[in-house]
Amino acid sequence: GDPHALVLAVEIERARANREGAEAIVQRVLQDNPGHPWARGLEALLLREQGHLQEALDKLAAIDVNAPELSWVLVERARTLLMIDAGRQTEALELLDKAGALDPIQPATLLLRGQIEIVAGKTADAVQSLTRALELDPQSAEIACELGRAQSVNGNMGQAHAAYDRALEIEPTL
């Protein structure tokens, strides 16, 4: 089926706090098409939410990512990898490099890259990654907050305050 419709249906069930409903939708698609990459990726994310990190990572690693619309699988693989072992930053960045090569305008890739770069002490790189992510998704309060954190750690307090102010403009309830 249509991958966007699948994602939407799963997100609706997750918003309803109906994990079983989301799992049923994914399983129905996988029954019809066991190799469906979007359904396999969503299955892995549902496993990750349940705390089955290694199983989720294995399922994400088994998906053949060869098209821009599947770059999110590499991003989620990097995210899951870091949840298992925060010290595997180099491997996570390599996955993000692959995701960025497939889809260079994906804000989620740049957001996670920036978060890793902050933790790794590469704050100038983090500012660059997060600035680009915010250019691509100017309505993301999360990206604006992370940019503020990177600017703060980098010692740019004026720019940090500006980024935090932007986050509050986007989402006043932060």
Side-chain angles (χ1 to χ4, degrees):
D2 176 20
H4 300 292
L6 171 63
V7 170
L8 182 60
V10 169
E11 289 301 316
I12 288 170
E13 292 304 318
R14 289 174 68 211
R16 293 180 179 162
N18 184 3
R19 187 180 69 236
E20 292 82 14
E23 289 171 356
I25 291 167
V26 169
Q27 291 309 314
R28 221 170 301 129
V29 172
L30 289 172
Q31 281 177 339
D32 293 339
N33 181 357
H36 194 289
W38 285 79
R40 290 174 57 210
L42 291 169
E43 178 185 39
L45 296 184
L46 291 167
L47 284 167
R48 185 177 74 192
E49 287 176 0
Q50 296 170 29
H52 304 289
L53 300 179
Q54 188 60 53
E55 188 177 356
L57 183 63
D58 293 344
K59 286 189 179 289
L60 289 166
I63 298 170
D64 181 25
V65 179
N66 58 7
E69 63 270 10
L70 292 173
S71 66
W72 68 273
V73 172
L74 295 169
V75 174
E76 293 306 330
R77 192 168 145 199
R79 189 180 320 279
T80 305
L81 179 69
L82 293 170
M83 292 171 81
I84 293 171
D85 181 356
R88 294 173 75 178
Q89 297 169 354
T90 301
E91 190 177 345
L93 287 170
E94 289 170 1
L95 289 167
L96 295 175
D97 286 343
K98 290 177 185 176
L102 282 171
D103 186 357
I105 58 168
Q106 181 54 256
T109 304
L110 294 164
L111 170 61
L112 185 56
R113 172 177 291 288
Q115 290 168 327
I116 293 169
E117 290 165 340
I118 291 170
V119 171
K122 299 177 180 179
T123 55
D125 292 339
V127 167
Q128 183 178 359
S129 295
L130 294 164
T131 298
R132 179 69 178 130
L134 194 57
E135 289 169 357
L136 294 170
D137 187 0
Q139 294 304 309
S140 173
E142 180 183 15
I143 295 172
C145 278
E146 288 297 314
L147 178 57
R149 183 167 73 118
Q151 293 285 17
S152 176
V153 172
N154 207 28
N156 302 324
M157 298 314 290
Q159 292 169 321
H161 287 293
Y164 288 131
D165 287 344
R166 177 143 181 211
L168 286 171
E169 288 173 14
I170 297 166
E171 195 170 317
T173 59
L174 284 177

